[in-house]
């Protein structure tokens, strides 16, 4: 039962650091992210990224994005679909164009530099969702655009990753090519099926939940839909959080939305979501950091600015005010688990060498830490 001791340590420290962060005026998420760095290999080395942490963190981010979908306004998401696409496209293109030469300058090969640009083109808004929820901006014009852009960004990241793995297979002469046409078709069918889920399956599950002789029947049905859609999304190459997000939107259209929200939020924020925040920091290590310090600093600065300016300029182009564009750009800065997953795939495929892997992971975590601070700063200039 060692994992229970680990869970107790995580819950105590995230509660304390989250409270302290809020007291000094910064998002509580920052305090919880720092817990992973303090407890993990970077400093105290008390907690490690084992199977327990991985499973709980996966459930945590799925619940977090389900809650985001549950509390989103579908009308706003539809209204800001066009800006979301523009934000996502520029938010991917500009980091790819400008991070590639950074890799070349620091001695990475052309293939390594290309993959480096793919890593930092990805966005993970799970951290931003937590901060925007804390700042009551999740269901706003900018918040809806960030959520919509995250879906498009996720699809683009999957496409880029598929192409890169395909190129690796061709270069190495091995049979690792991914049938891109089949992947796109599966994902297209998945997004088309979302309408069917919203129109028929979610209301049916809601009715079944209310008829169950169980006080939390509707919540059980909602979780079945959430985990089911997350699992299928993962099977076809999308991020599981996209499935969870749309499951939340589907349940939000039913009469049990408020009841489910009241039931699932305490479970998520009391147990699973803190473990997810901690898991980000556990990936950071300070071993040999002095040799890669310049690369880490340059990568962090360029990665932050390119996503901030890329996504922000997309919002500006779509007609947002400068302050709103800044908020959208800040919301897209966090690389989080998406970039960590892509980096891990590249490392396992021998596309990123051992010499640069730790520096890349550290830069990903630093952008994830900076994102909530940028969001907090941008929120001060927004009046919704």
């Amino acid at each position: 039962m060692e994992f229970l001791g680990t869970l107790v340590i995580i819950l105590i420290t995230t509660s304390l650091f989250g409270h302290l962060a809020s007291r000094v005026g910064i998002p509580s998420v920052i305090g919880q992210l720092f817990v992973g760095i303090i407890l993990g290999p970077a400093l105290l080395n008390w907690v490690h990224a084992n199977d327990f942490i991985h499973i709980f963190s996966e459930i945590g981010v799925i619940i977090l994005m389900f809650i985001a979908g549950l509390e989103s306004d579908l009308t706003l998401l539809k209204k800001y679909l066009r800006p979301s696409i523009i934000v996502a496209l520029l938010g991917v293109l500009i980091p790819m164009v400008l991070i590639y030469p950074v890799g070349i300058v620091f001695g990475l090969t052309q293939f390594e530099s290309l993959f480096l640009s793919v890593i930092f083109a990805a966005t993970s808004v799970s951290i931003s969702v937590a901060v925007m929820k804390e700042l009551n901006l999740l269901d706003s014009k900018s918040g809806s655009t960030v959520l919509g852009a995250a879906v498009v960004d996720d699809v683009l990241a999957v496409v880029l990753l598929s192409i890169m793995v395909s190129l690796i297979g061709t270069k190495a002469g091995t049979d690792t090519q991914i049938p891109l046409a089949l992947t796109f078709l599966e994902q297209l069918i998945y997004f088309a099926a979302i309408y069917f889920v919203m129109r028929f399956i979610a209301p049916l599950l809601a009715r079944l939940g209310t008829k169950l002789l169980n006080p939390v029947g509707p919540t059980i049905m909602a979780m079945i839909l959430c985990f089911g859609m997350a699992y299928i999304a993962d099977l076809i190459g999308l991020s599981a959080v996209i499935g969870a997000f749309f499951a939340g939107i589907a349940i939000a259209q039913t009469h049990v939305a408020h009841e489910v929200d009241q039931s699932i939020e305490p479970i998520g924020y009391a147990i699973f979501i803190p473990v997810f925040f901690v898991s980000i920091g556990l990936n950071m290590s300070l071993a040999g950091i002095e040799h890669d310090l310049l690369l880490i600093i340059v990568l962090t600065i360029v990665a932050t600015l390119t996503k901030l300016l890329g996504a922000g300029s997309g919002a500006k182009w779509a007609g947002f005010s400068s302050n709103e564009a800044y908020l959208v750009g800040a919301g897209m800065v966090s690389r989080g688990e998406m970039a960590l997953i892509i980096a891990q795939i590249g490392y396992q495929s021998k596309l990123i060498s051992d010499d640069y892997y730790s520096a890349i992971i550290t830069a990903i975590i630093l952008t994830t830490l900076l994102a909530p601070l940028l969001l907090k700063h941008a929120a001060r200039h927004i009046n919704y």
Side-chain angles (χ1 to χ4, degrees), residues 32-367:
Q32 296 180 339
L33 287 167
F34 267 111
V35 167
I37 297 172
I38 294 167
L39 296 181
L43 292 175
L44 297 178
N45 202 29
W46 288 355
V47 179
H48 301 93
N50 52 26
D51 289 342
F52 156 69
I53 295 289
H54 176 71
I55 291 169
F56 265 55
S57 65
E58 288 288 326
I59 295 173
V61 71
I62 286 169
I63 291 176
L64 178 62
M65 291 306 292
F66 175 75
I67 293 170
L70 196 60
E71 298 182 357
S72 295
D73 187 331
L74 185 58
T75 306
L76 277 177
L77 287 171
K78 288 178 180 177
K79 182 179 179 181
Y80 297 112
L81 178 60
R82 178 182 167 274
S84 296
I85 293 172
I86 297 171
V87 166
L89 288 173
L90 285 178
V92 166
L93 181 62
I94 291 179
M96 284 201 68
V97 169
L98 295 179
I99 287 175
Y100 174 81
V102 172
I104 297 295
V105 167
F106 279 90
L108 279 73
T109 66
Q110 288 186 341
F111 241 73
E112 286 176 329
S113 299
L114 184 58
F115 199 80
L116 183 69
S117 67
V118 172
I119 291 170
F120 285 98
T123 293
S124 173
V125 296
S126 48
I127 303 296
S128 299
V129 161
V131 177
M132 288 190 294
K133 183 174 167 56
E134 190 177 327
L135 298 173
N136 295 316
L137 290 171
L138 192 59
D139 198 14
S140 65
K141 178 181 177 181
S142 300
S144 297
T145 302
V146 169
L147 287 169
V151 176
V152 180
D153 193 288
D154 190 73
V155 174
L156 292 174
V158 169
V159 170
L160 291 170
L161 183 59
S162 300
I163 292 171
M164 284 299 299
V165 173
S166 180
L167 288 172
I168 296 163
T170 304
K171 186 180 175 70
T174 57
D175 188 22
T176 59
Q177 290 187 336
I178 293 175
L180 294 179
L182 179 60
T183 301
F184 298 155
L185 180 61
E186 288 174 342
Q187 293 173 4
L188 193 62
I189 293 170
Y190 183 84
F191 283 112
I194 287 170
Y195 171 79
F196 182 76
V197 170
M198 289 185 183
R199 186 75 177 81
F200 302 106
I201 296 180
L204 175 62
L205 290 174
R207 287 195 297 272
L208 286 174
T210 54
K211 290 179 180 179
L212 284 175
L213 297 178
N214 189 315
V216 290
T219 303
I220 293 172
M221 292 295 110
M223 286 294 91
I224 289 171
L225 184 64
C226 171
F227 294 138
M229 289 184 68
Y231 176 66
I232 295 170
D234 185 68
L235 278 181
I236 62 172
L238 288 169
S239 170
V241 301
I242 295 300
F245 175 65
F246 280 112
I249 291 176
I251 293 296
Q253 311 311 307
T254 69
H255 67 284
V256 299
H258 181 71
E259 180 183 345
V260 171
D261 191 27
Q262 293 290 99
S263 299
I264 196 61
E265 195 166 303
I267 297 171
Y269 281 96
I271 301 176
F272 296 104
I273 295 173
V275 179
F276 163 65
F277 292 141
V278 169
S279 71
I280 298 289
L282 292 179
N283 288 284
M284 190 169 178
S285 173
L286 300 181
I289 195 172
E290 65 278 2
H291 303 299
D292 300 318
L293 194 57
L294 184 59
L295 174 59
I296 291 168
I297 292 170
V298 172
L299 260 183
T300 303
I301 292 172
V302 175
T304 302
L305 290 178
T306 51
K307 188 64 83 168
L308 186 65
L309 296 174
S313 60
K316 186 70 175 172
W317 187 10
F320 284 48
S321 69
S322 297
N323 289 338
E324 289 171 334
Y326 176 29
L327 183 66
V328 170
M332 299 293 286
V333 164
S334 173
R335 300 317 201 271
E337 74 280 1
M338 275 301 295
L340 290 172
I341 290 167
I342 294 173
Q344 181 66 17
I345 291 171
Y347 182 67
Q348 290 171 347
S349 303
K350 307 296 182 185
L351 189 59
I352 298 293
S353 69
D354 295 341
D355 298 335
Y356 303 109
Y357 183 67
S358 294
I360 292 168
I361 296 299
T362 304
I364 290 170
I365 293 168
L366 289 175
T367 63

